[in-house]
Amino acid sequence: MKNDQRKNQQQQQYRINEQIRVRDVRIVSDTGSTVMPTRQALDMARAQGVDLVEISPNAQPPVCRLIDYSKFLYQQKKRAKELKAKQVKQEVKEIRFGPQTDEHDYQFKLKHAQEFLSDGNKVRAYVFFRGRSILFKEQGEVLLLRFANDLEEWGKVEKMPSLEGKKMFLYIAPKKSGAAKKSQQALDRERREAEEGQTQREAEKEIDTEMPAGGGLLANAKISAEALEKLKNN
């Protein structure tokens, strides 16, 4: 029964054939458009074995297509599905703090928030006050303000810290993709690569330093250059 109702609703989205009762319609196709009497358009649809489908009823005159109605509905459904697939799904990620969160836990949650915002998700951070810890609400507000400041490169504050019952919430939205910063993972990877490069350069420098002053390829090349210079002078 539900499937039949859904099918009927789909079929009522557009007027077709004899349901179109205006005097004239504009027929559009891949080659252009033509205004003609509705009766003539219906005769053309019958001759081609298709339907007259009204796709823009508010136009003057209404715009129609000559197409199989089932095929038309399939194309509309497919197009809607493609548009939905292209839309970025944004989620709200929660991060919970206590009013006296230690530094290690804070940095751990900060890193996760950076990743969430880099992926295009919103962050809802909150401090939960259990029992008498509500007395430390100012401390919780300071914590959330610090959190917002540390995430300034990744997101922007949508709503400043506000107390709701036993929780104080802070809402942060990701920045636009064009202004998005690198994720913490990318930053860590680049730092490791830079450290490895520095280590390699230091090792090469130590090898050059340990090479005997009177021997090796560099020393020989230097001696040969000096000998050539003497020959030129002579």
Side-chain angles (χ1 to χ4, degrees), residues 182-210:
K182 296 180 180 178
S183 66
Q184 187 62 37
Q185 291 179 343
L187 293 173
D188 293 342
R189 183 175 63 254
E190 291 181 357
R191 186 177 65 252
R192 288 195 302 269
E193 292 173 352
E195 291 173 352
E196 290 172 359
Q198 180 66 23
T199 302
Q200 183 176 357
R201 288 191 293 270
E202 291 176 354
E204 292 173 352
K205 185 177 179 181
E206 290 177 2
I207 292 174
D208 293 339
T209 304
E210 292 174 358

PDB file of all heavy atoms in Angstrom, residues 182-210:
ATOM      1  N   LYS A 182      46.299  22.396   7.021  1.00  0.00           N
ATOM      2  CA  LYS A 182      46.714  21.005   6.970  1.00  0.00           C
ATOM      3  C   LYS A 182      46.315  20.298   8.261  1.00  0.00           C
ATOM      4  O   LYS A 182      46.325  20.887   9.336  1.00  0.00           O
ATOM      5  CB  LYS A 182      48.232  20.914   6.779  1.00  0.00           C
ATOM      6  CG  LYS A 182      48.709  21.478   5.451  1.00  0.00           C
ATOM      7  CD  LYS A 182      50.220  21.363   5.334  1.00  0.00           C
ATOM      8  CE  LYS A 182      50.699  21.931   3.998  1.00  0.00           C
ATOM      9  NZ  LYS A 182      52.167  21.879   3.876  1.00  0.00           N
ATOM     10  N   SER A 183      45.992  19.024   8.151  1.00  0.00           N
ATOM     11  CA  SER A 183      45.632  18.252   9.320  1.00  0.00           C
ATOM     12  C   SER A 183      46.866  18.010  10.177  1.00  0.00           C
ATOM     13  O   SER A 183      48.012  18.138   9.717  1.00  0.00           O
ATOM     14  CB  SER A 183      45.026  16.904   8.903  1.00  0.00           C
ATOM     15  OG  SER A 183      46.004  16.113   8.262  1.00  0.00           O
ATOM     16  N   GLN A 184      46.654  17.641  11.431  1.00  0.00           N
ATOM     17  CA  GLN A 184      47.761  17.392  12.333  1.00  0.00           C
ATOM     18  C   GLN A 184      48.605  16.227  11.841  1.00  0.00           C
ATOM     19  O   GLN A 184      49.834  16.230  11.992  1.00  0.00           O
ATOM     20  CB  GLN A 184      47.221  17.095  13.743  1.00  0.00           C
ATOM     21  CG  GLN A 184      48.312  16.991  14.820  1.00  0.00           C
ATOM     22  CD  GLN A 184      49.060  18.288  14.982  1.00  0.00           C
ATOM     23  OE1 GLN A 184      48.478  19.364  14.884  1.00  0.00           O
ATOM     24  NE2 GLN A 184      50.357  18.209  15.234  1.00  0.00           N
ATOM     25  N   GLN A 185      47.977  15.239  11.219  1.00  0.00           N
ATOM     26  CA  GLN A 185      48.728  14.106  10.686  1.00  0.00           C
ATOM     27  C   GLN A 185      49.691  14.560   9.600  1.00  0.00           C
ATOM     28  O   GLN A 185      50.840  14.115   9.548  1.00  0.00           O
ATOM     29  CB  GLN A 185      47.766  13.051  10.129  1.00  0.00           C
ATOM     30  CG  GLN A 185      46.953  12.340  11.209  1.00  0.00           C
ATOM     31  CD  GLN A 185      46.005  11.324  10.608  1.00  0.00           C
ATOM     32  OE1 GLN A 185      45.711  11.356   9.419  1.00  0.00           O
ATOM     33  NE2 GLN A 185      45.519  10.417  11.432  1.00  0.00           N
ATOM     34  N   ALA A 186      49.234  15.452   8.717  1.00  0.00           N
ATOM     35  CA  ALA A 186      50.110  15.958   7.664  1.00  0.00           C
ATOM     36  C   ALA A 186      51.251  16.773   8.250  1.00  0.00           C
ATOM     37  O   ALA A 186      52.401  16.682   7.800  1.00  0.00           O
ATOM     38  CB  ALA A 186      49.310  16.805   6.678  1.00  0.00           C
ATOM     39  N   LEU A 187      50.934  17.575   9.271  1.00  0.00           N
ATOM     40  CA  LEU A 187      51.981  18.367   9.919  1.00  0.00           C
ATOM     41  C   LEU A 187      53.018  17.478  10.589  1.00  0.00           C
ATOM     42  O   LEU A 187      54.225  17.729  10.510  1.00  0.00           O
ATOM     43  CB  LEU A 187      51.355  19.316  10.957  1.00  0.00           C
ATOM     44  CG  LEU A 187      50.465  20.429  10.384  1.00  0.00           C
ATOM     45  CD1 LEU A 187      49.777  21.179  11.521  1.00  0.00           C
ATOM     46  CD2 LEU A 187      51.285  21.382   9.538  1.00  0.00           C
ATOM     47  N   ASP A 188      52.546  16.423  11.264  1.00  0.00           N
ATOM     48  CA  ASP A 188      53.479  15.489  11.899  1.00  0.00           C
ATOM     49  C   ASP A 188      54.362  14.802  10.874  1.00  0.00           C
ATOM     50  O   ASP A 188      55.568  14.610  11.097  1.00  0.00           O
ATOM     51  CB  ASP A 188      52.704  14.441  12.707  1.00  0.00           C
ATOM     52  CG  ASP A 188      52.000  15.043  13.912  1.00  0.00           C
ATOM     53  OD1 ASP A 188      52.381  16.156  14.318  1.00  0.00           O
ATOM     54  OD2 ASP A 188      51.074  14.404  14.446  1.00  0.00           O
ATOM     55  N   ARG A 189      53.764  14.413   9.734  1.00  0.00           N
ATOM     56  CA  ARG A 189      54.542  13.737   8.689  1.00  0.00           C
ATOM     57  C   ARG A 189      55.608  14.667   8.131  1.00  0.00           C
ATOM     58  O   ARG A 189      56.757  14.260   7.921  1.00  0.00           O
ATOM     59  CB  ARG A 189      53.613  13.259   7.586  1.00  0.00           C
ATOM     60  CG  ARG A 189      54.350  12.486   6.483  1.00  0.00           C
ATOM     61  CD  ARG A 189      53.396  11.911   5.449  1.00  0.00           C
ATOM     62  NE  ARG A 189      52.688  12.955   4.739  1.00  0.00           N
ATOM     63  CZ  ARG A 189      51.404  13.255   4.924  1.00  0.00           C
ATOM     64  NH1 ARG A 189      50.678  12.591   5.798  1.00  0.00           N
ATOM     65  NH2 ARG A 189      50.829  14.227   4.225  1.00  0.00           N
ATOM     66  N   GLU A 190      55.261  15.916   7.869  1.00  0.00           N
ATOM     67  CA  GLU A 190      56.237  16.869   7.343  1.00  0.00           C
ATOM     68  C   GLU A 190      57.349  17.144   8.349  1.00  0.00           C
ATOM     69  O   GLU A 190      58.510  17.306   7.974  1.00  0.00           O
ATOM     70  CB  GLU A 190      55.537  18.171   6.975  1.00  0.00           C
ATOM     71  CG  GLU A 190      54.611  18.058   5.769  1.00  0.00           C
ATOM     72  CD  GLU A 190      53.948  19.354   5.406  1.00  0.00           C
ATOM     73  OE1 GLU A 190      54.172  20.348   6.138  1.00  0.00           O
ATOM     74  OE2 GLU A 190      53.224  19.390   4.403  1.00  0.00           O
ATOM     75  N   ARG A 191      56.994  17.182   9.640  1.00  0.00           N
ATOM     76  CA  ARG A 191      58.015  17.408  10.651  1.00  0.00           C
ATOM     77  C   ARG A 191      58.994  16.245  10.716  1.00  0.00           C
ATOM     78  O   ARG A 191      60.210  16.444  10.814  1.00  0.00           O
ATOM     79  CB  ARG A 191      57.361  17.615  12.019  1.00  0.00           C
ATOM     80  CG  ARG A 191      58.380  17.996  13.100  1.00  0.00           C
ATOM     81  CD  ARG A 191      57.745  18.283  14.439  1.00  0.00           C
ATOM     82  NE  ARG A 191      57.133  17.088  14.992  1.00  0.00           N
ATOM     83  CZ  ARG A 191      55.831  16.898  15.078  1.00  0.00           C
ATOM     84  NH1 ARG A 191      54.995  17.809  14.630  1.00  0.00           N
ATOM     85  NH2 ARG A 191      55.333  15.796  15.591  1.00  0.00           N
ATOM     86  N   ARG A 192      58.460  15.001  10.593  1.00  0.00           N
ATOM     87  CA  ARG A 192      59.347  13.827  10.603  1.00  0.00           C
ATOM     88  C   ARG A 192      60.275  13.834   9.398  1.00  0.00           C
ATOM     89  O   ARG A 192      61.468  13.534   9.520  1.00  0.00           O
ATOM     90  CB  ARG A 192      58.513  12.541  10.616  1.00  0.00           C
ATOM     91  CG  ARG A 192      57.808  12.268  11.931  1.00  0.00           C
ATOM     92  CD  ARG A 192      57.329  10.824  11.984  1.00  0.00           C
ATOM     93  NE  ARG A 192      56.429  10.523  10.887  1.00  0.00           N
ATOM     94  CZ  ARG A 192      55.113  10.665  10.955  1.00  0.00           C
ATOM     95  NH1 ARG A 192      54.551  11.117  12.066  1.00  0.00           N
ATOM     96  NH2 ARG A 192      54.337  10.368   9.920  1.00  0.00           N
ATOM     97  N   GLU A 193      59.728  14.208   8.221  1.00  0.00           N
ATOM     98  CA  GLU A 193      60.555  14.251   7.017  1.00  0.00           C
ATOM     99  C   GLU A 193      61.644  15.309   7.141  1.00  0.00           C
ATOM    100  O   GLU A 193      62.781  15.090   6.697  1.00  0.00           O
ATOM    101  CB  GLU A 193      59.683  14.526   5.795  1.00  0.00           C
ATOM    102  CG  GLU A 193      58.738  13.380   5.453  1.00  0.00           C
ATOM    103  CD  GLU A 193      57.771  13.728   4.341  1.00  0.00           C
ATOM    104  OE1 GLU A 193      57.742  14.910   3.940  1.00  0.00           O
ATOM    105  OE2 GLU A 193      57.051  12.832   3.877  1.00  0.00           O
ATOM    106  N   ALA A 194      61.299  16.451   7.739  1.00  0.00           N
ATOM    107  CA  ALA A 194      62.295  17.502   7.925  1.00  0.00           C
ATOM    108  C   ALA A 194      63.384  17.051   8.892  1.00  0.00           C
ATOM    109  O   ALA A 194      64.574  17.317   8.681  1.00  0.00           O
ATOM    110  CB  ALA A 194      61.620  18.775   8.437  1.00  0.00           C
ATOM    111  N   GLU A 195      62.986  16.346   9.962  1.00  0.00           N
ATOM    112  CA  GLU A 195      63.972  15.855  10.930  1.00  0.00           C
ATOM    113  C   GLU A 195      64.884  14.811  10.308  1.00  0.00           C
ATOM    114  O   GLU A 195      66.097  14.792  10.554  1.00  0.00           O
ATOM    115  CB  GLU A 195      63.244  15.278  12.141  1.00  0.00           C
ATOM    116  CG  GLU A 195      62.543  16.334  12.989  1.00  0.00           C
ATOM    117  CD  GLU A 195      61.697  15.707  14.092  1.00  0.00           C
ATOM    118  OE1 GLU A 195      61.540  14.464  14.095  1.00  0.00           O
ATOM    119  OE2 GLU A 195      61.203  16.457  14.939  1.00  0.00           O
ATOM    120  N   GLU A 196      64.319  13.930   9.469  1.00  0.00           N
ATOM    121  CA  GLU A 196      65.138  12.915   8.807  1.00  0.00           C
ATOM    122  C   GLU A 196      66.123  13.556   7.837  1.00  0.00           C
ATOM    123  O   GLU A 196      67.275  13.140   7.733  1.00  0.00           O
ATOM    124  CB  GLU A 196      64.229  11.934   8.056  1.00  0.00           C
ATOM    125  CG  GLU A 196      63.421  11.039   8.981  1.00  0.00           C
ATOM    126  CD  GLU A 196      62.399  10.206   8.231  1.00  0.00           C
ATOM    127  OE1 GLU A 196      62.320  10.343   6.995  1.00  0.00           O
ATOM    128  OE2 GLU A 196      61.691   9.426   8.879  1.00  0.00           O
ATOM    129  N   GLY A 197      65.673  14.600   7.133  1.00  0.00           N
ATOM    130  CA  GLY A 197      66.569  15.297   6.219  1.00  0.00           C
ATOM    131  C   GLY A 197      67.698  15.988   6.948  1.00  0.00           C
ATOM    132  O   GLY A 197      68.849  15.975   6.506  1.00  0.00           O
ATOM    133  N   GLN A 198      67.372  16.582   8.115  1.00  0.00           N
ATOM    134  CA  GLN A 198      68.388  17.240   8.917  1.00  0.00           C
ATOM    135  C   GLN A 198      69.406  16.239   9.432  1.00  0.00           C
ATOM    136  O   GLN A 198      70.614  16.493   9.438  1.00  0.00           O
ATOM    137  CB  GLN A 198      67.723  17.978  10.090  1.00  0.00           C
ATOM    138  CG  GLN A 198      68.693  18.717  11.010  1.00  0.00           C
ATOM    139  CD  GLN A 198      69.386  19.865  10.307  1.00  0.00           C
ATOM    140  OE1 GLN A 198      68.876  20.383   9.320  1.00  0.00           O
ATOM    141  NE2 GLN A 198      70.553  20.239  10.791  1.00  0.00           N
ATOM    142  N   THR A 199      68.918  15.063   9.862  1.00  0.00           N
ATOM    143  CA  THR A 199      69.814  14.019  10.355  1.00  0.00           C
ATOM    144  C   THR A 199      70.763  13.559   9.255  1.00  0.00           C
ATOM    145  O   THR A 199      71.959  13.346   9.482  1.00  0.00           O
ATOM    146  CB  THR A 199      69.006  12.823  10.876  1.00  0.00           C
ATOM    147  OG1 THR A 199      68.132  13.273  11.910  1.00  0.00           O
ATOM    148  CG2 THR A 199      69.924  11.750  11.422  1.00  0.00           C
ATOM    149  N   GLN A 200      70.234  13.409   8.025  1.00  0.00           N
ATOM    150  CA  GLN A 200      71.065  12.966   6.908  1.00  0.00           C
ATOM    151  C   GLN A 200      72.128  14.012   6.578  1.00  0.00           C
ATOM    152  O   GLN A 200      73.287  13.668   6.320  1.00  0.00           O
ATOM    153  CB  GLN A 200      70.193  12.704   5.687  1.00  0.00           C
ATOM    154  CG  GLN A 200      70.963  12.160   4.485  1.00  0.00           C
ATOM    155  CD  GLN A 200      70.051  11.830   3.323  1.00  0.00           C
ATOM    156  OE1 GLN A 200      68.840  11.958   3.439  1.00  0.00           O
ATOM    157  NE2 GLN A 200      70.631  11.401   2.227  1.00  0.00           N
ATOM    158  N   ARG A 201      71.763  15.283   6.618  1.00  0.00           N
ATOM    159  CA  ARG A 201      72.741  16.330   6.325  1.00  0.00           C
ATOM    160  C   ARG A 201      73.832  16.376   7.373  1.00  0.00           C
ATOM    161  O   ARG A 201      75.004  16.587   7.056  1.00  0.00           O
ATOM    162  CB  ARG A 201      72.030  17.688   6.234  1.00  0.00           C
ATOM    163  CG  ARG A 201      71.173  17.847   4.978  1.00  0.00           C
ATOM    164  CD  ARG A 201      70.725  19.290   4.799  1.00  0.00           C
ATOM    165  NE  ARG A 201      69.809  19.689   5.857  1.00  0.00           N
ATOM    166  CZ  ARG A 201      68.493  19.547   5.774  1.00  0.00           C
ATOM    167  NH1 ARG A 201      67.944  18.988   4.716  1.00  0.00           N
ATOM    168  NH2 ARG A 201      67.723  19.959   6.752  1.00  0.00           N
ATOM    169  N   GLU A 202      73.449  16.158   8.630  1.00  0.00           N
ATOM    170  CA  GLU A 202      74.450  16.155   9.696  1.00  0.00           C
ATOM    171  C   GLU A 202      75.404  14.980   9.551  1.00  0.00           C
ATOM    172  O   GLU A 202      76.609  15.108   9.793  1.00  0.00           O
ATOM    173  CB  GLU A 202      73.750  16.113  11.058  1.00  0.00           C
ATOM    174  CG  GLU A 202      73.009  17.398  11.395  1.00  0.00           C
ATOM    175  CD  GLU A 202      72.240  17.301  12.694  1.00  0.00           C
ATOM    176  OE1 GLU A 202      72.200  16.194  13.278  1.00  0.00           O
ATOM    177  OE2 GLU A 202      71.688  18.317  13.116  1.00  0.00           O
ATOM    178  N   ALA A 203      74.868  13.828   9.120  1.00  0.00           N
ATOM    179  CA  ALA A 203      75.724  12.656   8.928  1.00  0.00           C
ATOM    180  C   ALA A 203      76.716  12.894   7.801  1.00  0.00           C
ATOM    181  O   ALA A 203      77.896  12.536   7.898  1.00  0.00           O
ATOM    182  CB  ALA A 203      74.855  11.434   8.623  1.00  0.00           C
ATOM    183  N   GLU A 204      76.267  13.510   6.712  1.00  0.00           N
ATOM    184  CA  GLU A 204      77.166  13.801   5.595  1.00  0.00           C
ATOM    185  C   GLU A 204      78.239  14.807   6.004  1.00  0.00           C
ATOM    186  O   GLU A 204      79.400  14.705   5.575  1.00  0.00           O
ATOM    187  CB  GLU A 204      76.357  14.348   4.425  1.00  0.00           C
ATOM    188  CG  GLU A 204      75.429  13.319   3.797  1.00  0.00           C
ATOM    189  CD  GLU A 204      74.524  13.926   2.750  1.00  0.00           C
ATOM    190  OE1 GLU A 204      74.510  15.163   2.628  1.00  0.00           O
ATOM    191  OE2 GLU A 204      73.832  13.159   2.072  1.00  0.00           O
ATOM    192  N   LYS A 205      77.874  15.747   6.858  1.00  0.00           N
ATOM    193  CA  LYS A 205      78.835  16.727   7.330  1.00  0.00           C
ATOM    194  C   LYS A 205      79.913  16.072   8.183  1.00  0.00           C
ATOM    195  O   LYS A 205      81.093  16.404   8.096  1.00  0.00           O
ATOM    196  CB  LYS A 205      78.112  17.809   8.126  1.00  0.00           C
ATOM    197  CG  LYS A 205      79.010  18.959   8.576  1.00  0.00           C
ATOM    198  CD  LYS A 205      78.194  20.018   9.287  1.00  0.00           C
ATOM    199  CE  LYS A 205      79.090  21.158   9.747  1.00  0.00           C
ATOM    200  NZ  LYS A 205      78.301  22.188  10.474  1.00  0.00           N
ATOM    201  N   GLU A 206      79.504  15.094   9.026  1.00  0.00           N
ATOM    202  CA  GLU A 206      80.469  14.378   9.860  1.00  0.00           C
ATOM    203  C   GLU A 206      81.441  13.572   9.006  1.00  0.00           C
ATOM    204  O   GLU A 206      82.627  13.497   9.290  1.00  0.00           O
ATOM    205  CB  GLU A 206      79.726  13.451  10.828  1.00  0.00           C
ATOM    206  CG  GLU A 206      78.968  14.203  11.914  1.00  0.00           C
ATOM    207  CD  GLU A 206      78.186  13.261  12.806  1.00  0.00           C
ATOM    208  OE1 GLU A 206      78.274  12.035  12.576  1.00  0.00           O
ATOM    209  OE2 GLU A 206      77.515  13.752  13.714  1.00  0.00           O
ATOM    210  N   ILE A 207      80.966  12.975   7.907  1.00  0.00           N
ATOM    211  CA  ILE A 207      81.838  12.203   7.021  1.00  0.00           C
ATOM    212  C   ILE A 207      82.879  13.104   6.389  1.00  0.00           C
ATOM    213  O   ILE A 207      84.070  12.773   6.309  1.00  0.00           O
ATOM    214  CB  ILE A 207      81.006  11.496   5.932  1.00  0.00           C
ATOM    215  CG1 ILE A 207      80.141  10.419   6.584  1.00  0.00           C
ATOM    216  CG2 ILE A 207      81.905  10.876   4.863  1.00  0.00           C
ATOM    217  CD1 ILE A 207      79.182   9.760   5.628  1.00  0.00           C
ATOM    218  N   ASP A 208      82.455  14.305   5.951  1.00  0.00           N
ATOM    219  CA  ASP A 208      83.393  15.249   5.351  1.00  0.00           C
ATOM    220  C   ASP A 208      84.441  15.702   6.354  1.00  0.00           C
ATOM    221  O   ASP A 208      85.613  15.893   6.030  1.00  0.00           O
ATOM    222  CB  ASP A 208      82.650  16.469   4.801  1.00  0.00           C
ATOM    223  CG  ASP A 208      81.775  16.093   3.613  1.00  0.00           C
ATOM    224  OD1 ASP A 208      82.035  15.039   2.991  1.00  0.00           O
ATOM    225  OD2 ASP A 208      80.839  16.865   3.327  1.00  0.00           O
ATOM    226  N   THR A 209      83.994  15.880   7.627  1.00  0.00           N
ATOM    227  CA  THR A 209      84.910  16.342   8.665  1.00  0.00           C
ATOM    228  C   THR A 209      85.935  15.279   9.002  1.00  0.00           C
ATOM    229  O   THR A 209      87.117  15.568   9.271  1.00  0.00           O
ATOM    230  CB  THR A 209      84.123  16.724   9.926  1.00  0.00           C
ATOM    231  OG1 THR A 209      83.142  17.700   9.573  1.00  0.00           O
ATOM    232  CG2 THR A 209      85.045  17.284  10.998  1.00  0.00           C
ATOM    233  N   GLU A 210      85.515  13.995   9.007  1.00  0.00           N
ATOM    234  CA  GLU A 210      86.408  12.906   9.381  1.00  0.00           C
ATOM    235  C   GLU A 210      87.385  12.535   8.274  1.00  0.00           C
ATOM    236  O   GLU A 210      88.363  11.830   8.502  1.00  0.00           O
ATOM    237  CB  GLU A 210      85.575  11.669   9.734  1.00  0.00           C
ATOM    238  CG  GLU A 210      84.755  11.847  11.009  1.00  0.00           C
ATOM    239  CD  GLU A 210      83.831  10.674  11.244  1.00  0.00           C
ATOM    240  OE1 GLU A 210      83.827   9.766  10.388  1.00  0.00           O
ATOM    241  OE2 GLU A 210      83.136  10.668  12.262  1.00  0.00           O
TER     242      GLU A 210
END
